[in-house]
Amino acid sequence: MIDDGNGYLTIGELARATGLTVRTIRYWSDEGALPPVTRSSGGYRLYDAGSVARLELIRTLRELGLGLDHVRAVLAGETTVAEVAAAHVAALDAQIRTLKVTRAVLSSVARRGSTAEEMTLMNKLARLSAAERKRILEEFVDEMFHGLDAADPVIRERMRTIATDLPEDPTPEQVDAWVELAELLRDPEFRARMRAVAEFNAADRGHDTADGSSLWFAQRMMKLAVDARKQGIAPDDPEAEDVVRDILGDADPAGVLARLESSTNDTVARYRELLLTVKGREPLAAHREEFTWVVAALRAHLAS
């Protein structure tokens, strides 16, 4: 301590009092976080008891990961510790999410034995922001339904808002599914196939224009097909005729068959499975076998 009756501390004494290095204290002082109270006659920086308390706060904030800009703002009273802490929590959450995606991508790369090119693509697609993922989906849906005023608005909105974002802690399988899904949504052939599905949907609403009717029809059709398969009824069995009649109601069999054939394509079925995987649900719920059963039963119906 400088023996001048004022109780000032040199940087060396401040270092011994706090356990910090002289170099660290000098750096924080140079950066404006710990300005000296005064200087000695020889030009040395001097500090007081208040500097010790200020230094402890700087050390705590730095150990929590805050940058010097935030530290200076807190010390200057421009913001509060609580406000800085809240902002830092949000930043840490974003970093944690990024690390989880990175871990999932690397796990997927290790499991699949991916090449450097594949890893780069996977990492790029997996790291797309939520806004970018939303834009990809909205562009796809807009192209699919453009000009189809008769298309079921419930299905249109469901496709627009369906969750295609990766969860907070994605599995390698979900990363794989999202990457494949993102590539599929950009594929011109797939987009043309889904456009055809939308056109059939719009044309089929001629006999029932109630919003959600197409979705209700698909759900009812799947239930009937699931029950028929559980009972061991083959598509060309006589008993399948009753199931087909329940499915059709007063709809045109040829029209329904054409609509279903457009949506039972393997790529379309894969699209449904990928969505379910990204959302953490079993891909089997895509009902690929049930769609195939209904198509076969309708063909048998029309051939009889």
Side-chain angles (χ1 to χ4, degrees), residues 2-18:
I2 300 296
D3 189 14
D4 57 4
N6 292 316
Y8 291 129
L9 300 170
T10 65
I11 281 185
E13 291 169 328
L14 194 58
R16 288 191 291 274
T18 60

Side-chain angles (χ1 to χ4, degrees), residues 217-229 233-236 240-241 243-248 252-261 263-264 286-302:
F217 174 83
Q219 292 171 340
R220 180 171 174 275
M221 178 181 68
M222 286 303 98
K223 182 181 184 307
L224 290 170
V226 167
D227 291 343
R229 294 184 74 243
I233 301 174
D236 55 356
E241 280 291 322
V243 180
V244 168
R245 280 191 289 270
D246 287 341
I247 290 173
L248 290 173
D252 172 44
V256 172
L257 176 60
R259 173 183 167 191
L260 292 179
E261 285 179 328
S263 61
T264 51
H287 296 301
R288 187 187 292 229
E289 294 83 1
E290 285 74 16
F291 270 101
T292 302
W293 187 96
V294 173
V295 168
L298 283 170
R299 286 173 178 164
H301 172 80
L302 289 170

Side-chain angles (χ1 to χ4, degrees), residues 97-98 101 121-142 160 162-166 178 181-183 185-186 191:
R97 174 176 169 75
T98 297
V101 171
L121 176 61
M122 287 177 62
N123 189 49
K124 178 180 178 181
L125 292 176
R127 286 180 181 276
L128 288 176
S129 68
E132 289 169 323
R133 291 190 181 100
K134 182 179 180 182
R135 177 183 55 78
I136 290 172
L137 180 65
E138 288 185 344
E139 288 178 354
F140 165 68
V141 175
D142 287 343
R160 185 182 297 278
I162 194 167
T164 58
D165 201 10
L166 284 167
W178 163 248
L181 181 63
E183 293 178 295
L185 292 176
R186 293 169 168 175
R191 292 168 84 105

Side-chain angles (χ1 to χ4, degrees), residues 31-297:
E31 291 296 317
L34 186 71
V37 174
T38 187
R39 289 184 180 267
S40 69
S41 57
Y44 292 104
R45 288 178 267 205
L46 299 176
Y47 303 88
D48 59 11
S51 301
V52 176
R54 186 182 181 96
L55 188 55
E56 290 294 347
L57 177 57
I58 295 171
R59 172 160 61 182
T60 299
L61 294 174
R62 292 291 288 155
E63 286 177 349
L64 290 172
L66 272 67
L68 280 175
D69 287 342
H70 280 143
V71 171
R72 283 192 295 264
V74 170
L75 294 171
E78 298 169 1
T79 186
T80 66
V81 172
E83 290 170 339
V84 171
H88 201 55
V89 166
L92 285 174
D93 285 342
Q95 291 175 14
I96 290 169
R97 174 176 169 75
T98 297
L99 287 172
K100 287 179 176 179
V101 171
T102 299
R103 183 188 65 187
V105 168
L106 290 174
S107 296
S108 181
V109 168
R111 178 172 52 84
R112 293 171 49 172
S114 302
T115 64
E117 291 77 11
E118 289 172 334
M119 181 179 69
T120 300
L121 176 61
M122 287 177 62
N123 189 49
K124 178 180 178 181
L125 292 176
R127 286 180 181 276
L128 288 176
S129 68
E132 289 169 323
R133 291 190 181 100
K134 182 179 180 182
R135 177 183 55 78
I136 290 172
L137 180 65
E138 288 185 344
E139 288 178 354
F140 165 68
V141 175
D142 287 343
E143 180 178 323
M144 182 175 170
F145 289 101
H146 179 69
L148 299 179
D149 295 334
D152 193 328
V154 172
I155 290 184
R156 185 199 301 255
E157 188 59 24
R158 187 183 187 191
M159 291 192 66
R160 185 182 297 278
T161 59
I162 194 167
T164 58
D165 201 10
L166 284 167
E168 288 294 321
D169 190 5
T171 65
E173 291 75 19
Q174 285 173 312
V175 170
D176 284 349
W178 163 248
V179 170
E180 186 178 343
L181 181 63
E183 293 178 295
L184 194 59
L185 292 176
R186 293 169 168 175
D187 178 47
E189 290 186 12
F190 173 71
R191 292 168 84 105
R193 167 67 66 174
M194 292 301 287
R195 170 68 181 186
V197 173
E199 289 172 348
F200 275 116
N201 170 268
D204 189 61
R205 292 197 77 214
H207 68 276
D208 188 352
T209 57
D211 292 350
S213 59
S214 297
L215 185 60
W216 175 86
F217 174 83
Q219 292 171 340
R220 180 171 174 275
M221 178 181 68
M222 286 303 98
K223 182 181 184 307
L224 290 170
V226 167
D227 291 343
R229 294 184 74 243
K230 283 182 179 178
Q231 295 173 39
I233 301 174
D236 55 356
D237 286 348
E239 294 89 340
E241 280 291 322
D242 293 333
V243 180
V244 168
R245 280 191 289 270
D246 287 341
I247 290 173
L248 290 173
D250 60 355
D252 172 44
V256 172
L257 176 60
R259 173 183 167 191
L260 292 179
E261 285 179 328
S262 73
S263 61
T264 51
N265 174 272
D266 283 345
T267 309
V268 177
R270 182 60 180 158
Y271 163 74
R272 297 192 194 99
E273 292 170 352
L274 291 171
L275 285 177
L276 293 168
T277 300
V278 170
K279 292 192 292 183
R281 291 165 55 186
E282 285 294 327
L284 290 177
H287 296 301
R288 187 187 292 229
E289 294 83 1
E290 285 74 16
F291 270 101
T292 302
W293 187 96
V294 173
V295 168

